[in-house]
Short mmCIF file of all heavy atoms in Angstrom, two decimals:
data_model
loop_
_atom_site.label_atom_id
_atom_site.label_comp_id
_atom_site.label_asym_id
_atom_site.label_seq_id
_atom_site.Cartn_x
_atom_site.Cartn_y
_atom_site.Cartn_z
N MET Z 274 29.44 21.26 69.34
CA MET Z 274 30.59 21.72 70.12
C MET Z 274 30.14 22.52 71.33
O MET Z 274 30.80 22.55 72.35
CB MET Z 274 31.48 22.60 69.23
CG MET Z 274 32.04 21.82 68.04
SD MET Z 274 33.21 22.82 67.09
CE MET Z 274 32.12 24.10 66.52
N ASP Z 506 15.99 15.91 62.67
CA ASP Z 506 16.24 17.02 61.73
C ASP Z 506 16.94 16.54 60.46
O ASP Z 506 16.61 16.96 59.36
CB ASP Z 506 17.12 18.09 62.40
CG ASP Z 506 16.30 19.10 63.21
OD1 ASP Z 506 15.06 19.13 63.08
OD2 ASP Z 506 16.91 19.86 63.98
N GLU Z 542 12.04 41.96 105.16
CA GLU Z 542 11.48 43.13 105.83
C GLU Z 542 10.15 43.42 105.14
O GLU Z 542 9.94 43.00 104.00
CB GLU Z 542 12.43 44.33 105.66
CG GLU Z 542 12.68 44.58 104.18
CD GLU Z 542 13.75 45.60 103.86
OE1 GLU Z 542 14.20 46.29 104.78
OE2 GLU Z 542 14.11 45.69 102.68
#
Side-chain angles (χ1 to χ4, degrees):
Chain Z
M274 298 185 296
D506 274 347
E542 57 188 349

